[in-house]
Amino acid sequence: MKTQSVKRAVKKLRNVSIVHKFGGSSLKSAKRFQAVKKLLNGEQKLIVLSAIGNTTRLLRQGLHEAAAKKDFLTTLETLKSRHSDMAKELLSDASSYLNCLQNDISHLSTIYQAISIMGHYSELTEDFVLSYGELWSSKLTAQFLGEDFLFVDAFDLLVVNKHHGHCDVDWKKTEKKALDYLKNKTFKHLVVTGYTACNQENQRITLGFNGSDYSAAILAKLFMAPELVIWTDVDGLFSADPRLVPSAKIVPKISYYEAKELAYFGAAVVHPQAMLPAMKADIPITIKNSYNLKSTGTMISLDGDASNQVKGLSVSEPMCLLTVRGLGLSTAAHMANKLFEALHLAHIRVYAASQASSEHSLSVVIAAKHRDAANKICHRCFDYELLTKQIEKIDFLEQVSILAVVGDALQNTPSLFEKFLQTLQEAHIDIRLIAHSYGARNIAVVIDELKAQEALVVVHQAVFEC
Ligand code: ADP
Ligand code: MG
């Protein structure tokens, strides 16, 4: 690239004023697309889109059906008709969009057919298939918003290493790839696919569940945007999931760290990893409601809100508590190392851990969906210790969840910790494991899954409503 054109491309890249991300909840119908168009006005912007509500679930359903050698054509037909109906409603000339959609559906049908013959599919195949949802929603949006809006597949911009489900941006390669791609393009605004990226081998990957938030934060940093707005279906980040706690209050300001903790333990409104690029580039993230433009939303920034308050509560997806017991654990530090390494190699994330040398046990909390895989890997990696009785037992306590309380205030207000424990005790909710360390911004406790919502409500009352 000549120096002049590099300069031009950099300038173009860095001229974006705001990055807007719309989740599937904001893109449920043609009416919602019209609402999105209305709220976007003025300055140069970059728009990041998730798939139209429910699309990713249907694409995944097709994968399961194909692998089980069941009918997948009905699912494909649903995907096609949902998108073509919307395109016909939104575009004055939908022909090129519909041709493209038909082409993609034919490819998908071939992929599903191959999976059906083999009876299985790889992670890369899954990523490839799931990316179609964002391609369809972004192409439709770019065409609907008008000729000033250039559709861009994030595959052509972002280079991301995906290792054991964890995604890391290769910033150097991303800058180069984005510049190369955009240098000769004419555009005023960009519409970029969320959720998807390219890996070092030039293969299509996805950034995981709710990954479009992460895509938007990466793009905000890449384009040095002054702000990232995540548009969703609630007024902002609440003190608890408003679906579970109707009295939850909106949190007007919160720090990146606090928001990351809440998201990590289950606040689905934003992806925990989205905080990292934004934090590095000091870009504030605002969470707003695309259904209620009057709401001011939640601002996530470095400073957050310094008031001495707990910010929120989260409840995780179903978990299980894996415990390894045996006399060998009292002396051998390598046992802990071995357990964590084995889980890591099996792509199983540990959410909390506790070791009690006196009881010769080590417990870790993992997602319930990984129970069988964890059981297998633990028996394999500790086969010698089980044989020699250094380890007596590997057991699982199932149907548990993590309840987390988050707030910088926890670092220096021990009474909050006491109040939390007392409230759970008074509600007769047993704690199976507790993770809280000096200076920590959160307390995470493992409780029965069936009591999780009750726990959320009583703790919320105790902390926020009195
Ligand atoms: P989108 O499609 O816009 O990405 P998501 O479904 O991923 O939307 O996230 C929005 C949902 O997150 C809300 O509808 C809400 O029920 C849920 N949620 C969970 N915890 C919280 C919280 N603490 N604050 C706000 N919303 C939350
Ligand atoms: Mg989301």
PDB file of all heavy atoms in Angstrom, residues 259-275:
ATOM      1  N   ALA A 259     -18.887  -4.428  35.839  1.00  0.00           N
ATOM      2  CA  ALA A 259     -19.764  -4.943  34.777  1.00  0.00           C
ATOM      3  C   ALA A 259     -19.256  -6.298  34.287  1.00  0.00           C
ATOM      4  O   ALA A 259     -20.039  -7.211  34.010  1.00  0.00           O
ATOM      5  CB  ALA A 259     -19.824  -3.951  33.616  1.00  0.00           C
ATOM      6  N   LYS A 260     -17.940  -6.448  34.206  1.00  0.00           N
ATOM      7  CA  LYS A 260     -17.354  -7.712  33.754  1.00  0.00           C
ATOM      8  C   LYS A 260     -17.710  -8.840  34.727  1.00  0.00           C
ATOM      9  O   LYS A 260     -18.090  -9.935  34.312  1.00  0.00           O
ATOM     10  CB  LYS A 260     -15.841  -7.554  33.643  1.00  0.00           C
ATOM     11  CG  LYS A 260     -15.136  -8.764  33.087  1.00  0.00           C
ATOM     12  CD  LYS A 260     -13.781  -8.360  32.612  1.00  0.00           C
ATOM     13  CE  LYS A 260     -12.608  -9.117  33.107  1.00  0.00           C
ATOM     14  NZ  LYS A 260     -12.498  -9.708  34.355  1.00  0.00           N
ATOM     15  N   GLU A 261     -17.610  -8.549  36.025  1.00  0.00           N
ATOM     16  CA  GLU A 261     -17.934  -9.572  37.036  1.00  0.00           C
ATOM     17  C   GLU A 261     -19.402  -9.988  36.937  1.00  0.00           C
ATOM     18  O   GLU A 261     -19.726 -11.165  36.967  1.00  0.00           O
ATOM     19  CB  GLU A 261     -17.678  -9.044  38.451  1.00  0.00           C
ATOM     20  CG  GLU A 261     -16.218  -8.799  38.781  1.00  0.00           C
ATOM     21  CD  GLU A 261     -15.397 -10.074  38.765  1.00  0.00           C
ATOM     22  OE1 GLU A 261     -15.897 -11.098  39.248  1.00  0.00           O
ATOM     23  OE2 GLU A 261     -14.276 -10.036  38.238  1.00  0.00           O
ATOM     24  N   LEU A 262     -20.290  -8.988  36.836  1.00  0.00           N
ATOM     25  CA  LEU A 262     -21.723  -9.297  36.744  1.00  0.00           C
ATOM     26  C   LEU A 262     -22.021 -10.127  35.499  1.00  0.00           C
ATOM     27  O   LEU A 262     -22.773 -11.094  35.542  1.00  0.00           O
ATOM     28  CB  LEU A 262     -22.544  -8.005  36.695  1.00  0.00           C
ATOM     29  CG  LEU A 262     -22.893  -7.378  38.036  1.00  0.00           C
ATOM     30  CD1 LEU A 262     -23.552  -6.025  37.830  1.00  0.00           C
ATOM     31  CD2 LEU A 262     -23.833  -8.285  38.832  1.00  0.00           C
ATOM     32  N   ALA A 263     -21.403  -9.733  34.388  1.00  0.00           N
ATOM     33  CA  ALA A 263     -21.626 -10.448  33.131  1.00  0.00           C
ATOM     34  C   ALA A 263     -21.054 -11.862  33.216  1.00  0.00           C
ATOM     35  O   ALA A 263     -21.667 -12.825  32.755  1.00  0.00           O
ATOM     36  CB  ALA A 263     -20.981  -9.683  31.980  1.00  0.00           C
ATOM     37  N   TYR A 264     -19.903 -11.986  33.830  1.00  0.00           N
ATOM     38  CA  TYR A 264     -19.235 -13.292  33.943  1.00  0.00           C
ATOM     39  C   TYR A 264     -20.118 -14.296  34.691  1.00  0.00           C
ATOM     40  O   TYR A 264     -20.209 -15.462  34.343  1.00  0.00           O
ATOM     41  CB  TYR A 264     -17.913 -13.075  34.681  1.00  0.00           C
ATOM     42  CG  TYR A 264     -17.072 -14.314  34.820  1.00  0.00           C
ATOM     43  CD1 TYR A 264     -16.344 -14.814  33.730  1.00  0.00           C
ATOM     44  CD2 TYR A 264     -16.990 -14.992  36.030  1.00  0.00           C
ATOM     45  CE1 TYR A 264     -15.567 -15.950  33.859  1.00  0.00           C
ATOM     46  CE2 TYR A 264     -16.217 -16.129  36.160  1.00  0.00           C
ATOM     47  CZ  TYR A 264     -15.509 -16.605  35.069  1.00  0.00           C
ATOM     48  OH  TYR A 264     -14.748 -17.730  35.203  1.00  0.00           O
ATOM     49  N   PHE A 265     -20.806 -13.804  35.717  1.00  0.00           N
ATOM     50  CA  PHE A 265     -21.652 -14.695  36.515  1.00  0.00           C
ATOM     51  C   PHE A 265     -23.102 -14.719  36.047  1.00  0.00           C
ATOM     52  O   PHE A 265     -23.979 -15.138  36.793  1.00  0.00           O
ATOM     53  CB  PHE A 265     -21.566 -14.329  37.995  1.00  0.00           C
ATOM     54  CG  PHE A 265     -20.249 -14.737  38.620  1.00  0.00           C
ATOM     55  CD1 PHE A 265     -19.350 -13.790  39.065  1.00  0.00           C
ATOM     56  CD2 PHE A 265     -19.910 -16.077  38.733  1.00  0.00           C
ATOM     57  CE1 PHE A 265     -18.130 -14.172  39.622  1.00  0.00           C
ATOM     58  CE2 PHE A 265     -18.698 -16.466  39.283  1.00  0.00           C
ATOM     59  CZ  PHE A 265     -17.808 -15.517  39.727  1.00  0.00           C
ATOM     60  N   GLY A 266     -23.382 -14.223  34.848  1.00  0.00           N
ATOM     61  CA  GLY A 266     -24.715 -14.478  34.298  1.00  0.00           C
ATOM     62  C   GLY A 266     -25.528 -13.295  33.812  1.00  0.00           C
ATOM     63  O   GLY A 266     -26.601 -13.505  33.257  1.00  0.00           O
ATOM     64  N   ALA A 267     -25.094 -12.050  34.010  1.00  0.00           N
ATOM     65  CA  ALA A 267     -25.887 -10.920  33.504  1.00  0.00           C
ATOM     66  C   ALA A 267     -25.747 -10.869  31.979  1.00  0.00           C
ATOM     67  O   ALA A 267     -24.785 -10.310  31.446  1.00  0.00           O
ATOM     68  CB  ALA A 267     -25.427  -9.616  34.136  1.00  0.00           C
ATOM     69  N   ALA A 268     -26.715 -11.480  31.297  1.00  0.00           N
ATOM     70  CA  ALA A 268     -26.587 -11.708  29.847  1.00  0.00           C
ATOM     71  C   ALA A 268     -26.608 -10.429  29.018  1.00  0.00           C
ATOM     72  O   ALA A 268     -26.343 -10.456  27.826  1.00  0.00           O
ATOM     73  CB  ALA A 268     -27.721 -12.617  29.382  1.00  0.00           C
ATOM     74  N   VAL A 269     -26.901  -9.308  29.646  1.00  0.00           N
ATOM     75  CA  VAL A 269     -27.098  -8.075  28.893  1.00  0.00           C
ATOM     76  C   VAL A 269     -25.808  -7.601  28.194  1.00  0.00           C
ATOM     77  O   VAL A 269     -25.863  -6.883  27.196  1.00  0.00           O
ATOM     78  CB  VAL A 269     -27.707  -6.982  29.802  1.00  0.00           C
ATOM     79  CG1 VAL A 269     -26.723  -6.457  30.813  1.00  0.00           C
ATOM     80  CG2 VAL A 269     -28.342  -5.879  29.001  1.00  0.00           C
ATOM     81  N   VAL A 270     -24.659  -8.053  28.660  1.00  0.00           N
ATOM     82  CA  VAL A 270     -23.407  -7.699  27.982  1.00  0.00           C
ATOM     83  C   VAL A 270     -22.397  -8.834  28.161  1.00  0.00           C
ATOM     84  O   VAL A 270     -22.375  -9.522  29.189  1.00  0.00           O
ATOM     85  CB  VAL A 270     -22.863  -6.334  28.496  1.00  0.00           C
ATOM     86  CG1 VAL A 270     -22.561  -6.345  29.963  1.00  0.00           C
ATOM     87  CG2 VAL A 270     -21.643  -5.887  27.714  1.00  0.00           C
ATOM     88  N   HIS A 271     -21.566  -9.042  27.134  1.00  0.00           N
ATOM     89  CA  HIS A 271     -20.569 -10.118  27.162  1.00  0.00           C
ATOM     90  C   HIS A 271     -19.382  -9.669  28.037  1.00  0.00           C
ATOM     91  O   HIS A 271     -18.874  -8.561  27.845  1.00  0.00           O
ATOM     92  CB  HIS A 271     -20.107 -10.354  25.718  1.00  0.00           C
ATOM     93  CG  HIS A 271     -19.265 -11.569  25.531  1.00  0.00           C
ATOM     94  ND1 HIS A 271     -18.046 -11.733  26.123  1.00  0.00           N
ATOM     95  CD2 HIS A 271     -19.475 -12.703  24.809  1.00  0.00           C
ATOM     96  CE1 HIS A 271     -17.532 -12.889  25.765  1.00  0.00           C
ATOM     97  NE2 HIS A 271     -18.389 -13.508  24.969  1.00  0.00           N
ATOM     98  N   PRO A 272     -18.923 -10.523  28.965  1.00  0.00           N
ATOM     99  CA  PRO A 272     -17.834 -10.074  29.861  1.00  0.00           C
ATOM    100  C   PRO A 272     -16.579  -9.629  29.109  1.00  0.00           C
ATOM    101  O   PRO A 272     -15.912  -8.677  29.499  1.00  0.00           O
ATOM    102  CB  PRO A 272     -17.545 -11.291  30.747  1.00  0.00           C
ATOM    103  CG  PRO A 272     -18.284 -12.438  30.155  1.00  0.00           C
ATOM    104  CD  PRO A 272     -19.377 -11.882  29.296  1.00  0.00           C
ATOM    105  N   GLN A 273     -16.291 -10.315  27.978  1.00  0.00           N
ATOM    106  CA  GLN A 273     -15.048  -9.970  27.274  1.00  0.00           C
ATOM    107  C   GLN A 273     -15.120  -8.629  26.551  1.00  0.00           C
ATOM    108  O   GLN A 273     -14.096  -8.065  26.172  1.00  0.00           O
ATOM    109  CB  GLN A 273     -14.691 -11.078  26.283  1.00  0.00           C
ATOM    110  CG  GLN A 273     -13.417 -11.814  26.725  1.00  0.00           C
ATOM    111  CD  GLN A 273     -12.937 -12.776  25.685  1.00  0.00           C
ATOM    112  OE1 GLN A 273     -13.704 -13.640  25.262  1.00  0.00           O
ATOM    113  NE2 GLN A 273     -11.700 -12.645  25.270  1.00  0.00           N
ATOM    114  N   ALA A 274     -16.344  -8.118  26.378  1.00  0.00           N
ATOM    115  CA  ALA A 274     -16.490  -6.827  25.685  1.00  0.00           C
ATOM    116  C   ALA A 274     -15.802  -5.713  26.468  1.00  0.00           C
ATOM    117  O   ALA A 274     -15.425  -4.681  25.914  1.00  0.00           O
ATOM    118  CB  ALA A 274     -17.967  -6.499  25.507  1.00  0.00           C
ATOM    119  N   MET A 275     -15.649  -5.953  27.765  1.00  0.00           N
ATOM    120  CA  MET A 275     -15.073  -4.898  28.604  1.00  0.00           C
ATOM    121  C   MET A 275     -13.591  -4.659  28.296  1.00  0.00           C
ATOM    122  O   MET A 275     -13.092  -3.554  28.451  1.00  0.00           O
ATOM    123  CB  MET A 275     -15.223  -5.282  30.084  1.00  0.00           C
ATOM    124  CG  MET A 275     -16.239  -4.493  30.838  1.00  0.00           C
ATOM    125  SD  MET A 275     -17.839  -4.407  30.057  1.00  0.00           S
ATOM    126  CE  MET A 275     -18.506  -5.977  30.475  1.00  0.00           C
TER     127      MET A 275
END
